[in-house]
Amino acid sequence: LPAQFDLVNEYSGLADVDAITMDMASKSHDGSLAVLVAATTILIATTSNNIVKGSLAWRFGEKKFGRSVAKGF
């Protein structure tokens, strides 16, 4: 996986994973991108998105809510 994909995926996943998922699925479907690269890209974006949302729940939610979200990870 090219290094520039890693950086883009991490930043893309911070806010939303729908766009990067659709883009990677489309590119892998038409053959312009290997399926492994597309899947890895989606995994990185989803992971960074979950970390951000979990951090927001922990920081700004009630403690009980933050703990239950942390248990989900």
Side-chain angles (χ1 to χ4, degrees):
L1 185 65
Q4 66 268 22
F5 274 101
D6 289 342
L7 185 60
V8 169
N9 302 332
E10 289 172 14
Y11 284 119
S12 295
L14 292 178
D16 188 27
V17 294
D18 294 339
I20 194 78
T21 300
M22 293 299 296
D23 186 45
M24 292 296 108
S26 175
K27 287 180 179 180
S28 69
H29 181 68
D30 69 17
S32 63
L33 191 65
V35 173
L36 180 61
V37 174
T40 304
T41 299
I42 292 168
L43 181 64
I44 292 170
T46 303
T47 301
S48 68
N49 185 267
N50 285 338
I51 290 170
V52 166
K53 290 184 178 181
S55 299
L56 290 172
W58 182 263
R59 173 67 177 100
F60 297 109
E62 293 181 13
K63 295 302 175 192
K64 183 177 179 181
F65 177 69
R67 282 193 296 274
S68 67
V69 169
K71 287 178 187 177
F73 291 118

